[in-house]
Structure formats: structure tokens, C-alpha cells
Amino acid sequence: MSHAMPPALPRNLIDLFSDTMTRPSAGMRKAMAEAEVGDEQRGEDPTTRALEERVAGLLGKEAAVFLPSGTMCNQIALAVHCRSGDEIIASDNSHICAMEGAGASAVAGAQIRTVPHDRGLFSGAAVQDALRDPTWRQAPRSRLVVVEQTMNYGGGAVWSLDQIDDVARVAKAHKLALHMDGARLPNAVVASGISAQSMCAVFDSTWFDLSKGLGCPVGGVLAGSNDFINEAWRWKHRLGGALRQSGILAAAGLYALDHNWTRLAEDHENAARFATMAGGIKGIRLVYPKTDTNIVFLDVSGTGRSAQAISDAVLAQGVRIGAMGPMLLRAVTHLDVSRAGVEAAGVALSKALAD
Ligand SMILES: Cc1ncc(COP(=O)(O)O)c(C=O)c1O
């Protein structure tokens, strides 16, 4: 993926690059404009506090803190849980391992030990195998297990409660902390019908992004015990994440909880529809035949074209699908892409490969 300045995008783009492409709706903008605000660093922003209290309740935790990004939610959680020289157990395709600029080592001073997994979901036995002997003085200290709900690079796979409990049993037995990267937790909740509180119960810390499927411009909310959030606040200041009149952003979050949560089911139906269309095109293989939520990965090696060439060809038709590897495309549905848009994307893909 290139990070040079991108070319101008077509107007009325059907943008399946990511669910981060959502734009605040008119209703959300109105709520933002009317937000009551104050100095967030001093705890004087009433709207941010309202959002934090609401999310803490939703996730069944004592407290929560609003942060500017999901990456900062993860990085602060890792920094609070770990000390320099500690080890984190996670899958190699997790966001904390594959992305975030090696923040686990750069910020928390910890290294990541990866475990065998299926779509990013791993077992308690895999955690058990990855544990270091605490009496061995040369070894890193096993400290934290990180579960990503849903698994972005696992095609939006959802951890079941049984899978979570299996991992948690081993983590707790060995006094390891447990963190959930819940960037797309709302998708997991809507897809499974399991409450956010039940999904987060065994985790010491958890968060979800406001700026993905929920459609906000900025922010994530990290939750945990009062002690954990107190420490998180130290890191928030340290990293420059403490804000001022953040109520404008928090108002978008409150609006999203009321208006954009349950509708995620539509995104999941649209992703399944797109997967059916794309999977029917000659040369394209669905990397994950089951579409759990809103993410579809396509292996294009059977087409004789590179993922980038196909991505460029659909872009010329007003559709953006990201090239995530030489032969890998990723399409992510969200509230700014309708059923008609998804079907047009399927047709554009088919046409790009027929040309
Ligand atoms: C699973 C996961 N975790 C963390 C993040 C980071 O979130 P943000 O972009 O808000 O920093 C992302 C972003 O795509 C993600 O997919």
C-alpha cells in the first residue's frame, strides 16, 4: 500500500476501502454543533463525561475514558498492563502486531509472542503453549493476552463466548491480564446477539471505535476498572491525548450509540451479498467463505491480474476496493454504502475482470 499523496477520488464514490470512510450525517453534525462543552482535561466537559459513563455501563466496567483513536486505546491499555521486558500473547494478524508501528515495543516496552490461530481466533491451549516459565530468569515475563473482536484481518470473524472463556480460563489461571481490542465490538454484538457486557465480562480492559461502523469522525472509548482508567489517564496526558472541548466529538459518539448501532446488521447483510457476487466471478476466491460481519477478503490469484490492477480498474468505475496484498482485495461495508451500492460494486468487479 502506497503512502504517497493519493490521486483525487471520483465523485459519488462507492467506497468499500474501510468502514473508517464513513462521514458524519446531518443529524450527527447537528448534535455535534449543539454539544455542551468544557475543558476535558479538567473533567469539565459534560458531554464527554456522559459518553464515558454510558460506555462504561454498556461494557459493564467501572469507568471509561474517551481517546482520539483506537490505536491510542490499544497503546494505552498495553502500556498500563505491561512493564518493560514483558510479553504479550496475540495472533500475528492482530492489529497490535501487524499495525500500530510496533507500539507494543515502542511505547509499552513489551514484545508480542504470536500463537497459531484460525482467522485470528486462538484457543486456551495455544495460550498455554505460549506461556513462559516464570521461574526461568532468562525468559520474558508473560503478562497479557489480547483478543481482537472482530478480527479485521480474519475477515471480520467473531469470537464466540466459548472461545473467549477458553482463552480467559488459561489467562486467569496464570495471572495474565486480558485486553480486548474491540475496534469493531459493535459489529460482533449485532452479529451474535450477545450483549457487549457479556462479551467484555472477563476482560480487564476493552474498547470500541466510534469512527468505524458507528460513523463518527474521531475517537474510541477505553473501559476498565477505576484503577485501570486512572492509570490510562496518566498515559493519555503523557501521549498528548488529553483534550479540551472534546464534547463536540463525544456528542457524535452519543448520537451514534442511539442511531447507528443496531443498523450495523444492514452492513453485515450487504457484505454477505457482496461476497456472494464476488465469489461467483471466475478467478476470484473468497478467502473466508463465511462472512460473519462487514469485511470480505478476496484472493484474486486465479484472475491473472494483480489486486492493485483490479482495484484501479474498479476505481475507474467509481468503486474503491482496497488492495491489501499482491493478490488480496478487501471490501468493507458501512453506513455510507447502500445495498444498491454494494450490488453496483459487484457488477463493477465483474466488468473489470471481463475487460
Ligand atoms: C482491529 C483494529 N484495532 C485497532 C484499530 C485502530 O483504530 P484507529 O484507526 O481508530 O486508530 C483498527 C483500525 O482499523 C482496527 O481495525
Side-chain angles (χ1 to χ4, degrees):
M1 200 175 10
S2 159
H3 291 280
M5 278 300 282
L9 293 169
R11 288 170 78 84
N12 301 322
L13 179 70
I14 297 168
D15 200 347
L16 294 169
F17 185 83
S18 173
D19 47 9
T20 56
M21 295 300 155
T22 50
R23 294 197 163 87
S25 63
M28 182 178 281
R29 287 171 193 250
K30 183 165 183 293
M32 295 170 77
E34 291 171 357
E36 241 189 286
V37 296
D39 187 341
E40 193 249 3
Q41 293 197 8
R42 295 176 54 82
E44 292 171 1
D45 187 283
T47 312
T48 306
R49 290 185 64 162
L51 175 67
E52 289 167 343
E53 275 168 34
R54 182 142 168 212
V55 171
L58 184 63
L59 303 184
K61 301 296 174 202
E62 284 175 351
V65 59
F66 177 74
L67 292 167
S69 71
T71 300
M72 199 181 276
C73 290
N74 271 339
Q75 291 309 317
I76 287 182
L78 303 190
V80 173
H81 288 302
C82 299
R83 295 290 164 269
S84 174
D86 284 352
E87 195 162 72
I88 299 165
I89 296 172
S91 65
D92 63 348
N93 62 348
S94 62
H95 204 271
I96 61 153
C97 186
M99 309 288 275
E100 307 192 15
S105 55
V107 180
Q111 68 182 22
I112 298 177
R113 183 164 207 196
T114 60
V115 288
H117 61 85
D118 175 23
R119 298 181 69 179
L121 315 181
F122 49 87
S123 63
V127 173
Q128 182 78 46
D129 286 347
L131 290 170
R132 306 289 186 178
D133 176 353
T135 64
W136 185 23
R137 291 187 297 200
Q138 283 196 65
R141 185 181 284 121
S142 305
R143 175 74 71 180
L144 174 70
V145 180
V146 177
V147 159
E148 188 175 303
Q149 181 74 302
T150 68
M151 265 307 306
N152 180 348
Y153 296 114
V158 178
W159 286 76
S160 71
L161 278 188
D162 283 348
Q163 288 167 313
I164 289 172
D165 286 345
D166 184 36
V167 163
R169 246 193 318 273
V170 177
K172 302 285 172 198
H174 295 273
K175 297 193 168 35
L176 268 57
L178 206 52
H179 170 68
M180 177 194 281
D181 169 347
R184 293 183 182 79
L185 172 67
N187 297 82
V189 168
V190 169
S192 67
I194 296 164
S195 72
Q197 206 163 327
S198 304
M199 269 192 188
C200 298
V202 296
F203 289 89
D204 299 293
S205 54
T206 179
W207 65 274
F208 64 85
D209 238 324
L210 300 169
S211 63
K212 294 195 164 72
L214 293 180
C216 301
V218 173
V221 187
L222 174 66
S225 66
N226 285 326
D227 285 348
F228 173 85
I229 293 299
N230 255 331
E231 277 308 300
W233 259 102
R234 283 186 190 280
W235 278 99
K236 174 167 154 122
H237 278 286
R238 195 170 287 143
L239 299 179
L243 303 168
R244 297 298 183 188
Q245 288 72 31
S246 57
I248 290 180
L249 303 172
L254 287 166
Y255 179 92
L257 295 180
D258 289 335
H259 296 90
N260 293 346
W261 185 289
T262 50
R263 65 146 307 285
L264 289 168
E266 278 174 48
D267 300 343
H268 302 164
E269 284 161 18
N270 286 341
R273 173 70 184 134
F274 179 76
T276 303
M277 290 180 81
I281 299 170
K282 189 160 171 282
I284 291 189
R285 185 180 66 81
L286 295 175
V287 177
Y288 307 110
K290 190 163 161 287
T291 305
D292 288 358
T293 52
N294 66 329
I295 302 177
V296 181
F297 276 92
L298 306 175
D299 178 342
V300 299
S301 34
T303 65
R305 311 264 294 273
S306 71
Q308 191 57 58
I310 298 171
S311 178
D312 292 345
V314 292
L315 190 59
Q317 300 176 66
V319 174
R320 183 156 65 162
I321 302 174
M324 307 302 283
M327 292 295 156
L328 200 61
L329 289 173
R330 187 189 67 171
V332 186
T333 56
H334 53 79
L335 85 173
D336 286 348
V337 178
S338 63
R339 169 56 69 115
V342 155
E343 295 196 335
V347 171
L349 188 58
S350 176
K351 192 161 173 292
L353 287 165
D355 287 348

